[in-house]
Amino acid sequence: MRYFIRDTTLFLRGRFRAASTGINGGIADVTTILNHTVPRDFDDDPPRYLDLLTARHGLSREYFGLLTAVRMRHLCVLQYDFVTVFITAGVTNPTRSDPKTPHTINIIVYSREGMSDAALLETIVTVTGAKAQALHDLGYDFPGTTTDAVAVACERDAASAHTYAGTLTEVGRRVHAAVLYGVPEALARQQGKVRRSEPSFFIYSRYGGDHWVEWQKEGCPYYPCHFPGQRCDYCYCPYYPCVDEELGEWVESSGGGRVWGCAGCTLLHVPEVADYVKRNPEATLAELKRLRDKR
């Protein structure tokens, strides 16, 4: 999976098996999942609008799409092991009219590991429960809004698949934790309580005890961790785990099992490479290594 933001749209690209409660939702094999920001007074036909949007970007109609009035700079991305969750959030009380405020919580869940169709659908239930709990904990007297949507995707060709995704499963507990933590963070950004000029990235860390960490390239205490003048746009690499043994290796995890270790990789820290990925977010590793070697 590769994700990137182009203009006012979040794109997830890959070979997915996915389920969606959004526009033209259902369950299908798709190559794109997107979340697009529209004006607050949007009154176009949503399916037609999304078809035209994907056509303008040269994408096939194998997609699931969500629409939101929340700006993409308020997006929160949360990574918990093999699960990545994308949240844009704005709320109004669905029983009261408040046209000035965006009123949609869109959540996209991606699992690097495979999931059965039943697990994809159960993840929607897990997301909805975690969202309702997050809103309750914030003091809202409603569990969601009338236009909330969820999309869940996994790698279509993953070697094995999770059968269940309830809150006590390996997938479900990660999804529940990410949504429970991420919804308040996304709302805080949309409401101006936390100010960021770009999307926010959180990672679930086990160093010094289990906790969420927000990564920000500005003011990082470890800079430069590789070399002077390095670029840090991709500190958390969009290619992970690349399984390219020139760039990393499998290592034993402190929690048991093996994980992909790439602490010594500097590829995406090379300024020319970072700039190239920004312009070409679906570039292959082979392209990037050729660019690096030409320097």
Side-chain angles (χ1 to χ4, degrees):
M1 183 271 290
R2 200 76 54 78
Y3 72 87
F4 54 92
I5 293 174
R6 183 172 289 159
D7 300 325
T8 57
T9 309
L10 166 70
F11 292 95
L12 277 68
R13 297 275 290 145
R15 290 173 52 83
F16 304 129
R17 183 65 175 170
S20 173
T21 67
I23 300 158
N24 288 338
I27 188 162
D29 293 339
V30 298
T31 57
T32 304
I33 298 175
L34 62 91
N35 187 16
H36 175 71
T37 301
V38 295
R40 296 185 184 183
D41 59 354
F42 176 80
D43 63 354
D44 204 337
D45 176 56
R48 177 179 177 276
Y49 183 90
L50 285 174
D51 281 348
L52 291 174
L53 175 68
T54 54
R56 284 199 302 271
H57 286 278
L59 303 174
S60 75
R61 298 185 69 173
E62 295 179 330
Y63 74 89
F64 281 139
L66 310 179
L67 296 177
T68 179
V70 178
R71 296 178 181 178
M72 281 302 136
R73 66 185 176 90
H74 301 313
L75 170 72
C76 287
V77 183
L78 301 98
Q79 185 172 317
Y80 191 155
D81 298 338
F82 59 90
V83 169
T84 308
V85 177
F86 305 81
I87 303 174
T88 53
V91 297
T92 55
N93 190 322
T95 64
R96 305 189 186 99
S97 176
D98 185 3
K100 296 181 181 179
T101 307
H103 53 276
T104 297
I105 300 176
N106 282 347
I107 299 174
I108 300 173
V109 175
Y110 164 75
S111 170
R112 194 167 66 241
E113 298 183 359
M115 301 172 70
S116 67
D117 285 359
L120 290 171
L121 296 173
E122 190 173 19
T123 300
I124 295 174
V125 178
T126 298
V127 167
T128 303
K131 176 191 67 179
Q133 182 180 337
L135 292 173
H136 178 270
D137 291 347
L138 288 170
Y140 292 102
D141 60 356
F142 50 88
T145 78
T146 55
T147 52
D148 292 353
V150 180
V152 183
C154 68
E155 291 297 334
R156 191 188 313 167
D157 301 323
S160 59
H162 294 267
T163 306
Y164 301 101
T167 55
L168 298 181
T169 65
E170 289 298 302
V171 174
R173 67 182 178 87
R174 289 168 168 82
V175 170
H176 185 274
V179 173
L180 188 62
Y181 188 87
V183 166
E185 293 289 344
L187 285 172
R189 282 151 179 76
Q190 189 275 328
Q191 294 167 353
K193 298 175 182 177
V194 175
R195 297 189 180 277
R196 297 285 185 269
S197 59
E198 296 180 339
S200 301
F201 186 94
F202 300 86
I203 188 165
Y204 192 78
S205 173
R206 295 176 176 83
Y207 291 103
D210 293 357
H211 62 291
W212 287 99
V213 176
E214 180 183 1
W215 174 78
Q216 298 182 67
K217 61 182 179 183
E218 295 82 6
C220 176
Y222 303 106
Y223 181 87
C225 58
H226 291 291
F227 55 87
Q230 71 178 58
R231 286 282 293 279
C232 300
D233 303 74
Y234 300 103
C235 183
Y236 290 102
C237 179
Y239 295 83
Y240 183 88
C242 69
V243 196
D244 184 324
E245 294 188 353
E246 178 189 338
L247 304 174
E249 62 181 344
W250 290 105
V251 296
E252 296 298 322
S253 167
S254 59
R258 303 173 76 214
V259 297
W260 182 250
C262 50
C265 177
T266 62
L267 181 62
L268 267 69
H269 292 297
V270 175
E272 293 87 347
V273 174
D275 287 337
Y276 187 84
V277 174
K278 279 187 173 292
R279 295 192 305 270
N280 305 278
E282 296 190 75
T284 65
L285 278 176
E287 288 179 69
L288 303 187
K289 289 196 288 187
R290 284 196 297 270
L291 179 64
R292 175 202 60 189
D293 294 342
K294 288 180 180 178
R295 294 173 64 244

